[in-house]
Amino acid sequence: MSPRVAVYPGSFDPIHNGHLDIIERCRPLFDEIVIGVLANEEKRALFSVEERVEIIREIVVGQGAIRVESFSGLLVDFMERVGARVVVRGLRAVSDFEYEMQMALMNRHLNPRVETVFMMPKEVYSYLSSRLVKEVFGLGGDLSGLVPATVLLRLRRRLGASARPEATAG
Ligand code: PNS
């Protein structure tokens, strides 16, 4: 039987605990998980794709059967390259559903062998997004319990000077 390989794609700008919760839930279900970091030229990212890959690798280091790769172009082509048939996406709320369904059906149109699996993160992360992480950090809000330590450190390095003082303290 061929190994069950899943791709968990996203912008991950930056990765947060909601993403990590989904990865954790995937681990018993697949033989290999490939975290696919989108190199999206048109979206202005805070962290470069190389930094986003580096951050995630730092977090998942030593966790067997997880790979982190960047990709550009079509997700289905990336999946073909890494030998995956399953896309994993997190669903936080009903508001995510429409966009996710469009993507799932488009990916199926592009490659009928591709299946999308939706997973619900732990409720405490249901309001969490990378956009809010950046906004809250920039305004000096408390992100403890919401992002891994390395992300907080990188945010301080990147935005520290412009973020409100209480965000950079400690
Ligand atoms: O975390 P995000 O930004 O919601 O992730 C979106 C992502 C990376 C899954 C999506 O933009 C994507 O798959 N982009 C690759 C381009 C592609 O394949 N587009 C057509 C299928 S919808």
Side-chain angles (χ1 to χ4, degrees):
M1 209 173 80
S2 47
R4 292 162 307 169
V5 183
V7 165
Y8 181 37
S11 304
F12 303 111
D13 184 41
I15 194 161
H16 55 64
N17 287 356
H19 295 127
L20 295 175
D21 182 76
I22 297 289
I23 294 167
E24 221 22 67
R25 285 168 201 283
C26 284
R27 271 147 59 76
L29 304 179
F30 301 102
D31 298 313
E32 185 178 23
I33 302 157
V34 182
I35 304 176
V37 182
L38 181 68
N40 38 355
E41 280 94 31
E42 78 281 4
K43 247 193 190 178
R44 267 180 54 85
L46 177 63
F47 295 104
S48 70
V49 68
E50 293 79 14
E51 286 173 300
R52 285 179 272 148
V53 167
E54 190 181 289
I55 293 169
I56 303 171
R57 284 196 180 139
E58 215 174 285
I59 295 164
V60 302
V61 73
Q63 298 186 16
I66 300 186
R67 272 202 289 150
V68 191
E69 307 285 344
S70 63
F71 77 100
S72 55
L74 287 176
L75 175 62
V76 290
D77 292 340
F78 175 63
M79 292 177 68
E80 199 74 40
R81 286 199 294 279
V82 299
R85 282 189 60 185
V86 175
V87 187
V88 171
R89 291 287 288 171
L91 263 191
R92 292 164 298 192
V94 177
S95 51
D96 284 341
F97 184 74
E98 204 170 338
Y99 170 61
E100 293 298 335
M101 194 178 79
Q102 281 179 348
M103 281 206 297
L105 295 180
M106 179 55 85
N107 284 328
R108 185 191 282 168
H109 166 82
L110 294 170
N111 182 348
R113 280 170 46 83
V114 162
E115 292 294 347
T116 303
V117 170
F118 293 110
M119 302 188 74
M120 268 61 76
K122 206 170 174 184
E123 310 83 271
V124 289
Y125 303 131
S126 60
Y127 56 87
L128 194 53
S129 70
S130 299
R131 185 184 62 78
L132 279 183
V133 163
K134 288 178 278 194
E135 183 176 321
V136 169
F137 182 85
L139 295 171
D142 180 14
L143 288 174
S144 49
L146 301 181
V147 294
T150 183
V151 167
L152 212 49
L153 199 72
R154 303 259 185 165
L155 283 167
R156 283 183 185 138
R157 277 196 216 140
R158 178 59 46 88
L159 294 173
S162 54
R164 283 185 36 203
E166 52 271 49
T168 55

